[in-house]
Amino acid sequence: MLDWAPIIIGLLLFILLSPGLIFQFPGNKRHFEFGSFTTNGRAVLVHTLIFFVIYTILMLAVGIHIYSG
């Protein structure tokens, strides 16, 4: 059996936490921007750290598993 949880959770978090797509923190003109479709280096770093923290919590602490039969 293959555990699909890391793949699916990683893909969803990647889409949701892409800087500038839904939100961007820190923004270019304000601290928090919605739907700007632009990014900067600081936002990429912050979103990477947020992704890593949420992914680690979901995989290790919560222990989400999705098995295919």
Side-chain angles (χ1 to χ4, degrees), residues 31-53:
H31 292 293
F32 201 83
E33 293 180 354
F34 289 99
S36 64
F37 294 108
T38 60
T39 189
N40 57 39
R42 292 180 300 149
V44 171
L45 180 65
V46 169
H47 282 255
T48 301
L49 294 174
I50 293 171
F51 175 90
F52 178 73
V53 168

Side-chain angles (χ1 to χ4, degrees), residues 5-43:
I7 298 166
I8 293 171
I9 299 289
L11 178 68
L12 290 175
L13 286 176
F14 179 79
I15 293 169
L16 292 176
L17 291 175
S18 294
L21 185 62
I22 297 176
F23 71 95
Q24 179 178 337
F25 175 75
N28 291 326
K29 297 179 183 172
R30 291 176 274 164
H31 292 293
F32 201 83
E33 293 180 354
F34 289 99
S36 64
F37 294 108
T38 60
T39 189
N40 57 39
R42 292 180 300 149

